[in-house]
Amino acid sequence: MTGWTSSLLRQVGGVTRLAGQSLLRMFTRPLDLAETIRQLDRIGVGSLNLTNVTALFTGLVLALQTAYALATFGARLYIGEVVALSLVRELGPVLTALMVGGRVGSGIAAEIGSMAVTEQVDAIRSMAADPVRKLVVPRVWATVAMLPLLTVLADGMGIFGGLLIGVFEEGLSPTFYLRRTAQVLTFDDLWLGVAKPVVFAFLIAVIACYNGLNARGGADGVGRATTHTVYVIAISVLITDFFITKLFLAL
């Protein structure tokens, strides 16, 4: 077995074990409410500008490309439908997860990794406290709560970007654009657009916490854990997105 395969299996096993431990503790008392609220602010409010700007310009570009492609078929009137479906079902959840994963995941790994290499995590254990309940659970709850909200706001910003192109570049009326957008979106689209971020959020928080708790080797080790976290989160989000989409299409 190669070193890379061994490392991958060790990582998957460790993340799976931490995910199970986190799920058990998320629904049992006590919950560190103050720390959870602090993480809600850091993860949600702190990521708002990043996700909204990303979504706005994604909507602008998507509308421009859609208008260019549909012009061949004389179907520019359908810009709103294409932009809305693309954003709500796919681009909104994935791009928001990647942006939040990069920002929040690296932050969590660096914070907990610094605590691990300075033996603060060992100190928590020595006081008979549970590091998973104290450090992991508040971050998981906060990420799971905020990522769907950030995604919904990002979807709205992306649709607004498409509206700007539809109105000022293609001469559509705002009422027509929004009516077509509302008509094309179904309950299944909205449900899928919210369900994906919940799964992504859990993955982001658990992977980041696992890498932080297992950081070794001082500042260099924390740096490696942070970089590795961003890489693993990005790959995990894209792979998970494929399987969730496949599952929903099969239902």
Short mmCIF file of all heavy atoms in Angstrom, two decimals, residues 29-60:
data_model
loop_
_atom_site.label_atom_id
_atom_site.label_comp_id
_atom_site.label_asym_id
_atom_site.label_seq_id
_atom_site.Cartn_x
_atom_site.Cartn_y
_atom_site.Cartn_z
N ARG A 29 -27.01 17.40 25.51
CA ARG A 29 -26.51 18.52 26.31
C ARG A 29 -25.20 18.13 26.96
O ARG A 29 -24.92 16.94 27.16
CB ARG A 29 -27.55 18.89 27.37
CG ARG A 29 -28.81 19.45 26.79
CD ARG A 29 -29.77 19.83 27.92
NE ARG A 29 -30.97 20.45 27.40
CZ ARG A 29 -31.99 20.85 28.17
NH1 ARG A 29 -31.91 20.67 29.47
NH2 ARG A 29 -33.03 21.41 27.63
N PRO A 30 -24.38 19.14 27.38
CA PRO A 30 -24.62 20.58 27.22
C PRO A 30 -24.07 21.10 25.89
O PRO A 30 -23.12 20.55 25.34
CB PRO A 30 -23.82 21.17 28.39
CG PRO A 30 -22.67 20.22 28.55
CD PRO A 30 -23.20 18.86 28.21
N LEU A 31 -24.67 22.19 25.41
CA LEU A 31 -24.17 22.89 24.23
C LEU A 31 -23.60 24.23 24.67
O LEU A 31 -24.24 24.96 25.43
CB LEU A 31 -25.30 23.11 23.23
CG LEU A 31 -24.97 24.01 22.02
CD1 LEU A 31 -23.92 23.35 21.13
CD2 LEU A 31 -26.23 24.33 21.21
N ASP A 32 -22.38 24.52 24.23
CA ASP A 32 -21.74 25.80 24.57
C ASP A 32 -22.39 26.89 23.71
O ASP A 32 -21.94 27.18 22.59
CB ASP A 32 -20.23 25.72 24.30
CG ASP A 32 -19.49 26.92 24.87
OD1 ASP A 32 -20.13 27.96 25.08
OD2 ASP A 32 -18.27 26.82 25.07
N LEU A 33 -23.47 27.48 24.24
CA LEU A 33 -24.26 28.42 23.46
C LEU A 33 -23.48 29.68 23.12
O LEU A 33 -23.58 30.20 22.00
CB LEU A 33 -25.54 28.78 24.23
CG LEU A 33 -26.60 29.55 23.45
CD1 LEU A 33 -27.05 28.78 22.23
CD2 LEU A 33 -27.79 29.87 24.34
N ALA A 34 -22.70 30.19 24.07
CA ALA A 34 -21.94 31.43 23.82
C ALA A 34 -20.94 31.23 22.69
O ALA A 34 -20.79 32.09 21.82
CB ALA A 34 -21.23 31.86 25.11
N GLU A 35 -20.23 30.09 22.70
CA GLU A 35 -19.26 29.82 21.66
C GLU A 35 -19.96 29.61 20.31
O GLU A 35 -19.46 30.03 19.25
CB GLU A 35 -18.43 28.59 22.03
CG GLU A 35 -17.43 28.13 20.99
CD GLU A 35 -16.34 29.18 20.71
OE1 GLU A 35 -16.23 30.14 21.49
OE2 GLU A 35 -15.63 29.03 19.70
N THR A 36 -21.12 28.95 20.35
CA THR A 36 -21.87 28.73 19.10
C THR A 36 -22.30 30.06 18.48
O THR A 36 -22.19 30.25 17.26
CB THR A 36 -23.11 27.85 19.38
OG1 THR A 36 -22.69 26.62 19.97
CG2 THR A 36 -23.85 27.55 18.09
N ILE A 37 -22.79 30.99 19.32
CA ILE A 37 -23.20 32.30 18.81
C ILE A 37 -22.00 33.05 18.24
O ILE A 37 -22.08 33.72 17.20
CB ILE A 37 -23.89 33.11 19.94
CG1 ILE A 37 -25.22 32.46 20.30
CG2 ILE A 37 -24.09 34.55 19.52
CD1 ILE A 37 -25.90 33.06 21.50
N ARG A 38 -20.85 32.94 18.92
CA ARG A 38 -19.63 33.59 18.41
C ARG A 38 -19.24 33.03 17.04
O ARG A 38 -18.86 33.77 16.13
CB ARG A 38 -18.48 33.39 19.41
CG ARG A 38 -17.24 34.22 19.11
CD ARG A 38 -16.22 34.07 20.22
NE ARG A 38 -15.52 32.80 20.14
CZ ARG A 38 -14.41 32.59 19.46
NH1 ARG A 38 -13.86 33.60 18.81
NH2 ARG A 38 -13.84 31.41 19.45
N GLN A 39 -19.38 31.72 16.88
CA GLN A 39 -19.05 31.11 15.59
C GLN A 39 -20.09 31.48 14.51
O GLN A 39 -19.74 31.61 13.34
CB GLN A 39 -18.97 29.59 15.74
CG GLN A 39 -17.84 29.11 16.63
CD GLN A 39 -16.47 29.51 16.10
OE1 GLN A 39 -16.26 29.60 14.89
NE2 GLN A 39 -15.54 29.78 16.99
N LEU A 40 -21.35 31.61 14.92
CA LEU A 40 -22.37 32.05 13.96
C LEU A 40 -22.01 33.40 13.36
O LEU A 40 -22.15 33.62 12.15
CB LEU A 40 -23.74 32.14 14.65
CG LEU A 40 -24.46 30.82 14.96
CD1 LEU A 40 -25.66 31.08 15.86
CD2 LEU A 40 -24.91 30.14 13.67
N ASP A 41 -21.53 34.29 14.19
CA ASP A 41 -21.14 35.62 13.71
C ASP A 41 -19.90 35.53 12.81
O ASP A 41 -19.87 36.12 11.73
CB ASP A 41 -20.86 36.52 14.92
CG ASP A 41 -20.42 37.91 14.48
OD1 ASP A 41 -21.22 38.61 13.85
OD2 ASP A 41 -19.26 38.28 14.78
N ARG A 42 -18.91 34.78 13.26
CA ARG A 42 -17.67 34.68 12.48
C ARG A 42 -17.90 34.00 11.13
O ARG A 42 -17.39 34.45 10.09
CB ARG A 42 -16.62 33.88 13.26
CG ARG A 42 -16.10 34.58 14.49
CD ARG A 42 -15.08 33.74 15.21
NE ARG A 42 -13.91 33.48 14.38
CZ ARG A 42 -12.91 32.70 14.75
NH1 ARG A 42 -12.94 32.11 15.91
NH2 ARG A 42 -11.89 32.53 13.96
N ILE A 43 -18.68 32.92 11.13
CA ILE A 43 -18.87 32.15 9.91
C ILE A 43 -19.91 32.79 9.00
O ILE A 43 -19.70 32.90 7.78
CB ILE A 43 -19.29 30.71 10.27
CG1 ILE A 43 -18.15 30.00 10.99
CG2 ILE A 43 -19.73 29.93 9.04
CD1 ILE A 43 -18.52 28.67 11.60
N GLY A 44 -21.02 33.24 9.57
CA GLY A 44 -22.10 33.78 8.75
C GLY A 44 -21.88 35.22 8.32
O GLY A 44 -21.74 35.51 7.13
N VAL A 45 -21.82 36.12 9.29
CA VAL A 45 -21.67 37.54 8.97
C VAL A 45 -20.32 37.79 8.30
O VAL A 45 -20.22 38.57 7.35
CB VAL A 45 -21.81 38.39 10.25
CG1 VAL A 45 -21.62 39.87 9.93
CG2 VAL A 45 -23.17 38.15 10.91
N GLY A 46 -19.28 37.09 8.79
CA GLY A 46 -17.95 37.31 8.22
C GLY A 46 -17.81 36.86 6.78
O GLY A 46 -16.93 37.33 6.06
N SER A 47 -18.66 35.95 6.33
CA SER A 47 -18.57 35.43 4.96
C SER A 47 -19.54 36.12 4.00
O SER A 47 -19.52 35.83 2.80
CB SER A 47 -18.84 33.92 4.94
OG SER A 47 -17.96 33.23 5.78
N LEU A 48 -20.40 36.98 4.54
CA LEU A 48 -21.50 37.53 3.74
C LEU A 48 -21.02 38.29 2.50
O LEU A 48 -21.51 38.06 1.38
CB LEU A 48 -22.35 38.45 4.62
CG LEU A 48 -23.75 38.80 4.11
CD1 LEU A 48 -24.57 37.55 3.85
CD2 LEU A 48 -24.46 39.70 5.12
N ASN A 49 -20.07 39.19 2.68
CA ASN A 49 -19.60 39.99 1.54
C ASN A 49 -18.94 39.10 0.48
O ASN A 49 -19.15 39.29 -0.73
CB ASN A 49 -18.61 41.05 2.01
CG ASN A 49 -19.28 42.15 2.80
OD1 ASN A 49 -20.48 42.38 2.66
ND2 ASN A 49 -18.52 42.82 3.65
N LEU A 50 -18.14 38.14 0.93
CA LEU A 50 -17.43 37.26 -0.01
C LEU A 50 -18.42 36.48 -0.88
O LEU A 50 -18.30 36.43 -2.11
CB LEU A 50 -16.54 36.29 0.77
CG LEU A 50 -15.84 35.20 -0.05
CD1 LEU A 50 -14.85 35.80 -1.02
CD2 LEU A 50 -15.15 34.20 0.88
N THR A 51 -19.42 35.86 -0.24
CA THR A 51 -20.35 35.02 -1.00
C THR A 51 -21.27 35.86 -1.89
O THR A 51 -21.60 35.46 -3.01
CB THR A 51 -21.20 34.16 -0.06
OG1 THR A 51 -21.86 35.00 0.90
CG2 THR A 51 -20.31 33.17 0.69
N ASN A 52 -21.69 37.03 -1.41
CA ASN A 52 -22.59 37.86 -2.21
C ASN A 52 -21.90 38.44 -3.45
O ASN A 52 -22.48 38.48 -4.54
CB ASN A 52 -23.17 38.99 -1.36
CG ASN A 52 -24.31 38.51 -0.48
OD1 ASN A 52 -24.84 37.43 -0.67
ND2 ASN A 52 -24.69 39.31 0.50
N VAL A 53 -20.66 38.91 -3.28
CA VAL A 53 -19.92 39.44 -4.43
C VAL A 53 -19.66 38.34 -5.45
O VAL A 53 -19.82 38.54 -6.67
CB VAL A 53 -18.60 40.09 -3.97
CG1 VAL A 53 -17.72 40.43 -5.17
CG2 VAL A 53 -18.88 41.35 -3.16
N THR A 54 -19.28 37.16 -4.96
CA THR A 54 -19.05 36.03 -5.86
C THR A 54 -20.31 35.69 -6.64
O THR A 54 -20.27 35.48 -7.86
CB THR A 54 -18.59 34.80 -5.06
OG1 THR A 54 -17.39 35.10 -4.35
CG2 THR A 54 -18.33 33.61 -5.97
N ALA A 55 -21.45 35.64 -5.94
CA ALA A 55 -22.71 35.28 -6.60
C ALA A 55 -23.16 36.35 -7.58
O ALA A 55 -23.66 36.03 -8.67
CB ALA A 55 -23.79 35.05 -5.54
N LEU A 56 -22.99 37.61 -7.21
CA LEU A 56 -23.42 38.70 -8.09
C LEU A 56 -22.70 38.62 -9.44
O LEU A 56 -23.33 38.68 -10.51
CB LEU A 56 -23.17 40.05 -7.42
CG LEU A 56 -23.45 41.28 -8.28
CD1 LEU A 56 -24.93 41.35 -8.66
CD2 LEU A 56 -23.01 42.56 -7.57
N PHE A 57 -21.39 38.48 -9.39
CA PHE A 57 -20.63 38.47 -10.65
C PHE A 57 -20.80 37.15 -11.40
O PHE A 57 -20.70 37.12 -12.63
CB PHE A 57 -19.16 38.78 -10.37
CG PHE A 57 -18.93 40.25 -10.18
CD1 PHE A 57 -18.99 40.81 -8.92
CD2 PHE A 57 -18.69 41.09 -11.26
CE1 PHE A 57 -18.82 42.17 -8.72
CE2 PHE A 57 -18.52 42.45 -11.09
CZ PHE A 57 -18.58 43.00 -9.82
N THR A 58 -21.07 36.07 -10.66
CA THR A 58 -21.41 34.81 -11.34
C THR A 58 -22.71 34.97 -12.12
O THR A 58 -22.82 34.51 -13.27
CB THR A 58 -21.54 33.67 -10.31
OG1 THR A 58 -20.30 33.50 -9.64
CG2 THR A 58 -21.91 32.36 -11.00
N GLY A 59 -23.70 35.61 -11.52
CA GLY A 59 -24.96 35.86 -12.20
C GLY A 59 -24.78 36.75 -13.42
O GLY A 59 -25.38 36.51 -14.47
N LEU A 60 -23.95 37.78 -13.29
CA LEU A 60 -23.69 38.68 -14.42
C LEU A 60 -23.06 37.92 -15.59
O LEU A 60 -23.49 38.03 -16.74
CB LEU A 60 -22.77 39.82 -13.97
CG LEU A 60 -23.37 40.86 -13.02
CD1 LEU A 60 -22.28 41.75 -12.44
CD2 LEU A 60 -24.40 41.72 -13.75
#
